Amino acid sequence: MGMLIDGQWVQEDRIYQDGDFKRQASVFDHPLDAELAASIRTEPGRYHLIASQSCPWSQRTLLVRALKRLEEVLPLQIAHGPRLEGYAVNGGAAWEVPGSGQGIVNMHELYSLADPRYTGRVTVPVLWDSASQRILSNESARIIRLLDLVPALEGAPDFTLLPRKLAQEIDDFSQRIHSELCNAVYRAGLARRQDVYEVAVEEVFSMLEELELRLSRQRYLFGALLTEADLRLLPSLLRFDSVYHGYFRCSRKRLTDYPNLWAYTRDLYSWRGVEETTDFQAIRSGYFLNDGDGNPYGIIPVAPEIDWLEPHGRDALSSACVTSRNEEIFSIDPVRLLHIGEA
């Protein structure tokens, strides 16, 4: 895929160590505070989110942006198109960097604009500050927590995806989900040694079995509450049968073979903004044309037949709930994001 070395694009990628895929840490991974979150609401259009519809890490940020109703204050640029030099910003056409008056075609040019000596991979999502001409973050976990802090619109439910009482548990479990599922599918799909592949696949299906059991007795990962952990997991589940099961060789079972996990995914799919931020064609083409080296002729498979709108029945376990800023739990209509009543 290529990378930047001292601000110069090279067709090199340091993602393998002895046949094992190693995800590099984000470079622009700095704390993002409540003052910055407030300014997203008070200075609409200053900050810009650049994301890809194929990338699961990007979709996390798109999900929180939609749930928090930030579409009008946080402009979105979808990075798409042929990855000739990594991600194209605008399908291969020029895009004017907000606040700079400068046109770019590829994401690596934005990285070089922010740091002329940058060395590393060029990834999405990116949160761009048009006033200071800086990349504030290219770490999805940081960005979604920042967006969660943005004050709600007047009259809209003001809830948090990270209740204080559950914060450490959410952190710990989300890290396991990342290691044993979200990143493990990449370690399986991009492995260049059989033993590395088999270890990764075992982790993936052990985690799926654990999630299946956990979700047999509660609606979401932390009971009746929708939390950040659910939105960090969801993009990987949305991609499982279309990409990870076949192309990434995680072929022991499909998502649809897990009754509770499959119903849980359809439940989350019904929440405001999820269907709108899920483009299965972009997902399939993004992976099959750009990730891995097992598709030399660039053939995009026919999509599996999956009914995402089939009734999920998860209401039988509990109502859907969220936590307010002052730690009060209330029921919510997932589709319209309307406060229903106290839980």
Side-chain angles (χ1 to χ4, degrees):
M1 185 174 177
M3 62 184 293
L4 284 171
I5 297 180
D6 290 331
Q8 300 298 313
W9 182 258
V10 297
Q11 292 295 349
E12 178 183 345
D13 209 341
R14 302 169 183 174
I15 62 172
Y16 289 101
Q17 294 181 17
D18 194 23
D20 194 359
F21 167 74
K22 298 292 185 182
R23 187 175 300 280
Q24 292 185 336
S26 298
V27 174
F28 296 99
D29 184 15
H30 313 299
L32 306 174
D33 59 23
E35 182 179 354
L36 173 58
S39 71
I40 291 177
R41 183 72 71 191
T42 59
E43 299 182 73
R46 171 177 174 175
Y47 306 98
H48 292 252
L49 180 63
I50 301 103
S52 162
Q53 289 178 308
S54 66
C55 168
W57 325 106
S58 284
Q59 190 173 11
R60 294 173 174 180
T61 65
L62 300 180
L63 291 170
V64 179
R65 176 178 177 267
L67 284 173
K68 294 293 179 171
R69 301 178 186 270
L70 300 176
E71 293 95 337
E72 293 185 4
V73 296
L74 181 62
L76 171 66
Q77 176 62 30
I78 295 295
H80 67 287
R83 296 188 202 171
L84 304 177
E85 295 184 14
Y87 282 101
V89 187
N90 190 28
W95 179 66
E96 185 174 308
V97 177
S100 75
Q102 178 173 330
I104 65 172
V105 174
N106 299 298
M107 278 299 297
H108 72 76
E109 296 170 90
L110 185 70
Y111 275 65
S112 294
L113 184 62
D115 178 3
R117 303 296 295 174
Y118 178 84
T119 293
R121 298 188 72 224
V122 175
T123 61
V124 286
V126 162
L127 185 66
W128 174 257
D129 181 357
S130 65
S132 65
Q133 294 290 285
R134 291 189 301 131
I135 292 176
L136 298 179
S137 182
N138 67 340
E139 171 50 63
S140 65
R142 295 276 194 191
I143 296 173
I144 63 175
R145 290 206 171 170
L146 174 72
L147 301 186
D148 185 51
L149 291 173
V150 177
L153 285 169
E154 184 176 353
D158 193 13
F159 61 93
T160 178
L161 297 166
L162 190 70
R164 286 192 297 272
K165 293 179 181 178
L166 292 173
Q168 190 59 56
E169 290 181 66
I170 289 172
D171 273 345
D172 293 344
F173 197 57
S174 293
Q175 183 53 50
R176 285 194 57 217
I177 289 171
H178 168 81
S179 176
E180 299 170 33
L181 178 59
C182 303
N183 193 54
V185 292
Y186 278 82
R187 289 170 37 229
L190 301 180
R192 293 182 173 179
R193 285 200 346 244
Q194 183 71 28
D195 60 327
V196 168
Y197 159 74
E198 291 180 359
V199 168
V201 166
E202 189 59 40
E203 289 184 12
V204 167
F205 286 98
S206 292
M207 175 53 72
L208 290 177
E209 294 290 348
E210 180 178 336
L211 291 170
E212 173 70 6
L213 178 60
R214 186 182 185 111
L215 292 165
S216 69
R217 51 183 181 260
Q218 58 195 43
R219 185 162 180 176
Y220 302 117
L221 293 178
F222 287 88
L225 288 176
L226 181 79
T227 70
E228 173 190 292
D230 298 291
L231 300 183
R232 291 181 66 158
L233 169 63
L234 178 59
S236 293
L237 299 181
L238 292 170
R239 287 156 176 76
F240 199 88
D241 285 8
S242 291
V243 178
Y244 303 151
H245 176 266
Y247 191 52
F248 274 8
R249 301 187 291 267
C250 295
S251 49
R252 183 180 298 169
K253 288 185 179 181
R254 302 165 301 168
L255 172 67
T256 52
D257 293 326
Y258 295 95
N260 297 304
L261 191 53
W262 169 222
Y264 160 83
T265 307
R266 298 198 312 278
D267 182 359
L268 292 177
Y269 190 77
S270 72
W271 279 72
R272 180 189 188 273
V274 177
E275 183 176 0
E276 292 78 5
T277 66
T278 306
D279 184 331
F280 288 108
Q281 179 59 31
I283 288 170
R284 290 194 303 278
S285 62
Y287 279 92
F288 283 96
L289 298 182
N290 298 292
D291 290 321
D293 50 12
N295 189 20
Y297 297 106
I299 295 171
I300 301 173
V302 172
E305 292 185 357
I306 301 175
D307 183 3
W308 292 95
L309 302 181
E310 176 189 344
H312 53 74
R314 302 287 289 175
D315 312 80
L317 290 169
S318 71
S319 59
C321 298
V322 290
T323 304
S324 68
R325 301 286 183 190
N326 59 4
E327 298 293 303
E328 294 179 353
I329 298 173
F330 61 89
S331 300
I332 196 168
D333 177 340
V335 178
R336 296 177 297 165
L337 288 187
L338 295 178
H339 185 290
I340 296 177
E342 301 307 314

